[in-house]
Amino acid sequence: MANDPRNPGASFLSFWREYHLCTLTTSRQDGTPHVVAVGVTYDPEGGVARVITNKNSRKVANILAAGPDGAAVAVCQVDKGRWATLEGRARVRTEPELVADAVERYAQRYGRTPAPNPDRVLIEIALTRAMGSA
C-alpha cells in the first residue's frame, strides 16, 4: 500500500516510531545491491529519513560514487507481517549541526545515544515514496 511520505497514515507513522532495526539498500558501482542493517529515523514533516554512520563505510562510498545528485536508496523495516519502505535520494552530509541533530533523533527512537565518533556522517534521504503494510 502506498503512502505519502510527507503525510503518512497514522499506523504507518506509528510503526516508524517503534524500535526496529532497518536495512539500507544502495547500489554498488557494478549495479548490484548492497544491503546493510542500520538505524533509521523518519521525519515526515521534513520529508527526510536519516541514517548516521561512519564516513569510511561502503554505504557512504556507494552514495558518493553516484555523484552530486545523490543516490537512489531504500530503507525498510519488518516486524512479522508488517513492513514499511521509504525510498528517495540520499546525500552524505557532514555539517556538525546536522549530524548532531541526527544523533539526537536516533537517541529518541532507539533509547540510547551513540558513543562519540569523529568520523560520523549523516546519510540524509530526501523521500520520494513510502509504502508498506503497516
Side-chain angles (χ1 to χ4, degrees):
M1 174 194 306
N3 277 283
D4 177 348
R6 288 185 164 268
N7 189 24
S11 64
F12 187 84
L13 183 57
S14 177
F15 187 46
W16 277 100
R17 299 287 187 244
E18 297 172 11
Y19 183 112
H20 295 287
L21 292 180
C22 304
T23 60
L24 168 67
T25 303
T26 61
S27 293
R28 296 182 182 98
Q29 286 187 335
D30 67 3
T32 60
H34 178 257
V35 183
V36 294
V38 294
V40 176
T41 61
Y42 173 33
D43 173 10
E45 295 81 18
V48 300
R50 295 174 179 88
V51 175
I52 54 175
T53 190
N54 191 294
K55 69 181 180 183
N56 299 311
S57 67
R58 169 52 43 203
K59 55 190 162 288
V60 167
N62 291 343
I63 293 165
L64 292 173
D69 290 336
V73 303
V75 289
C76 183
Q77 65 181 23
V78 177
D79 179 45
K80 298 178 183 151
R82 297 183 304 159
W83 63 275
T85 299
L86 300 169
E87 297 179 4
R89 305 275 327 161
R91 291 180 180 79
V92 177
R93 307 295 300 261
T94 59
E95 298 94 321
E97 66 278 7
L98 296 179
V99 174
D101 177 64
V103 167
E104 183 177 318
R105 290 171 186 270
Y106 178 97
Q108 289 173 359
R109 180 171 190 201
Y110 291 102
R112 71 171 193 83
T113 301
N117 178 355
D119 291 332
R120 181 173 289 129
V121 295
L122 164 62
I123 296 173
E124 185 178 71
I125 305 164
L127 299 174
T128 56
R129 184 178 297 155
M131 62 191 119
S133 66

